[in-house]
């Protein structure tokens, strides 16, 4: 739980210190990125791992 609290503090600091000072197009880019992170987390780690293993298997040689 401590790691979560530290990460939350880091994200809040990022938003407060950096994102508020960005131009409107860059604010949208940050929002899109954060939404992508939320979507990736909601798919579940097992599903992500399965997709990574599948794609890595194709790329492996010999």
């Amino acid at each position: 739980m401590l790691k979560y609290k530290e990460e939350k503090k880091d994200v809040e600091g990022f938003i407060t210190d950096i994102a508020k000072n960005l131009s409107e197009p860059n604010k949208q880019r940050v929002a899109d990125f954060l939404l992508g992170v939320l979507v990736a987390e909601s798919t579940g780690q097992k599903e992500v791992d399965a997709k990574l293993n599948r794609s890595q298997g194709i790329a492996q040689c010999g």
Side-chain angles (χ1 to χ4, degrees):
M1 188 59 125
L2 181 61
K3 193 171 189 177
Y4 170 78
K5 289 179 182 178
E6 289 175 13
E7 289 177 9
K8 182 179 177 189
K9 184 178 175 183
D10 289 344
V11 170
E12 289 172 347
F14 170 78
I15 292 169
T16 301
D17 297 338
I18 297 173
K20 288 184 178 180
N21 297 317
L22 294 174
S23 65
E24 285 301 317
N26 285 333
K27 283 182 184 179
Q28 185 61 51
R29 291 179 71 194
V30 169
D32 292 343
F33 173 77
L34 293 174
L35 180 60
V37 169
L38 292 173
V39 170
E41 286 181 345
S42 69
T43 62
Q45 190 61 43
K46 288 182 182 180
E47 186 175 323
V48 172
D49 288 343
K51 288 179 182 178
L52 287 174
N53 288 336
R54 198 173 323 132
S55 66
Q56 289 174 354
I58 294 169
Q60 292 177 349
C61 296

